[in-house]
Amino acid sequence: MSENDQAIVTADPDVCVGSGNCTIVAPSVFDLDHEGAVIVLHDRVSAGDRDAAVAAAAGCPAAAIIVEG
């Protein structure tokens, strides 16, 4: 897979409210740390994980997730 086929995923743990929606929608991309804030497991994702990351971003109540590409 080339770098051009990947999306870049970022999340702001300081904005995160710890709902955990992202971990349900895209468990291969997101997890929560010991304080309940989002962490990105893979900052570059393939097309399949991109779709899940976009859905997680759309469902994030704090808009803490950004998917580029």
Side-chain angles (χ1 to χ4, degrees), residues 14 22 26-27 42 47 49 53 66:
D14 294 329
C22 57
H42 305 285
D49 282 339
I66 298 171

Side-chain angles (χ1 to χ4, degrees), residues 19 21-22 25 53-63 65:
S19 72
N21 292 349
C22 57
V25 175
V54 168
C60 178
I65 299 169

Side-chain angles (χ1 to χ4, degrees), residues 40-63:
V40 177
L41 299 174
H42 305 285
D43 61 348
R44 293 187 182 271
V45 297
S46 64
D49 282 339
R50 179 199 179 281
D51 292 344
V54 168
C60 178

